[in-house]
């Protein structure tokens, strides 16, 4: 999404902003001027920059959540595909994950326990995880800036909801509002399929 140097160009920002405006125009909400309420250019630039900058590497995440994972793998004699499967299972069991759904204007962002803990412990990594999850929905990229601000401001409330169940939270809202309601999400089942594609590619997908 960048110009080859890792930088976002003004032409790219204009093109992305135009797509955002088209999305807003195509899903106009009576009595609410979303284009006026949102800084479309800033949202476009933020989305492009999020895609252009280096992602947190899978091995860096593994080093945080299981510092001795490579030693464990070596003791088991794991190499090649077996080593990759071992790393993926650790990410699936203990890594921060987010998954997004959209149906019309309704959206939902599922956060596992590790992702919820990152909101307070490492907001930068949490935002990175959220960015990767929202990439598949351009509509959610449009509200990424206020959504991240909302999560940061409501971190205590989100953590309190997580504590009501198994630590998982679902942020449920209606686009383009970033003010999602946190609700317990104990029944969402996570697995290797929910690991971000970026981390899978890091590990040799």
């Amino acid at each position: 999404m960048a110009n080859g140097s890792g930088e976002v160009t003004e032409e790219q920002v204009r093109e992305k902003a135009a797509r955002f405006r088209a999305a807003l125009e195509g899903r106009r909400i009576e009595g609410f001027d979303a284009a006026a309420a949102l800084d479309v250019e800033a949202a476009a630039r933020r989305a492009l920059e999020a895609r252009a900058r280096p992602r947190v590497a899978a091995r860096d995440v593994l080093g945080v959540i299981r510092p001795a994972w490579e030693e464990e793998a070596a003791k088991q004699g794991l190499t090649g595909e077996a080593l990759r499967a071992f790393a993926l299972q650790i990410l699936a069991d203990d890594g921060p994950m987010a998954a997004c759904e959209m149906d019309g204007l309704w959206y939902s962002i599922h956060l596992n326990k590790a992702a919820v803990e990152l909101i307070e412990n490492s907001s930068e990594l949490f935002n990175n995880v959220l960015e990767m999850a929202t990439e598949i929905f351009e509509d959610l990229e449009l509200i990424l800036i206020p959504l991240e601000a909302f999560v940061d401001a409501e971190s205590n409330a989100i953590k309190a909801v997580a504590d009501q169940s198994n630590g998982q939270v679902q942020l449920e809202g209606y686009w383009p509002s970033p003010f999602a309601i946190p609700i317990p999400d104990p029944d969402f089942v996570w697995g290797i399929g929910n690991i971000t594609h970026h981390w899978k590619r890091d590990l040799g997908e």
Side-chain angles (χ1 to χ4, degrees), residues 15-64:
E15 290 175 355
K16 187 78 166 177
R19 291 203 301 273
F20 280 166
R21 287 196 180 88
L24 290 169
E25 184 64 28
R27 303 169 78 176
R28 185 181 293 274
I29 301 172
E30 186 176 352
F32 177 63
D33 187 350
L38 297 168
D39 188 335
V40 177
E41 278 73 20
R45 187 178 300 280
R46 177 72 170 78
L48 289 165
E49 289 175 344
R51 289 178 180 243
R53 70 169 174 265
R55 299 297 196 188
V56 175
R59 286 181 177 274
D60 290 340
V61 177
L62 287 164
V64 171

Side-chain angles (χ1 to χ4, degrees), residues 58-79 82-84 86-87 90 202-203:
R59 286 181 177 274
D60 290 340
V61 177
L62 287 164
V64 171
I65 63 178
R66 187 83 69 86
W69 78 277
E70 289 181 292
E71 295 176 20
E72 293 176 42
K75 288 179 180 178
Q76 297 178 50
L78 302 178
T79 60
L83 177 61
R84 179 178 181 272
F86 180 64
I90 294 172
D202 270 359
L203 295 170

Side-chain angles (χ1 to χ4, degrees), residues 115-171:
V116 172
E117 291 173 350
L118 282 181
I119 297 173
E120 291 185 335
N121 299 334
S122 178
S123 59
E124 182 177 356
L125 180 53
F126 172 80
N127 288 344
N128 201 287
V129 171
L130 185 61
E131 288 163 6
M132 288 188 279
T134 57
E135 279 183 353
I136 61 173
F137 293 110
E138 193 167 61
D139 287 344
L140 293 181
E141 284 188 309
L142 174 56
I143 63 171
L144 187 57
I145 294 175
L147 183 60
E148 288 176 342
F150 168 78
V151 170
D152 183 61
E154 297 298 322
S155 60
N156 290 337
I158 293 171
K159 184 64 167 58
V161 170
D163 290 342
Q164 294 175 19
S165 61
N166 63 347
Q168 298 185 168
V169 169
Q170 177 181 356
L171 302 178

Side-chain angles (χ1 to χ4, degrees), residues 89 91-100 109-116 129 133 166-170 185-196:
Q89 193 60 58
L91 288 172
D93 291 342
D94 302 315
M97 289 193 283
C100 299
I109 301 172
H110 302 273
L111 303 174
N112 73 346
K113 182 178 179 180
V116 172
V129 171
N166 63 347
Q168 298 185 168
V169 169
Q170 177 181 356
D185 195 24
D187 298 324
F188 190 84
V189 179
W190 299 88
I192 289 176
N194 296 115
I195 298 172
T196 171

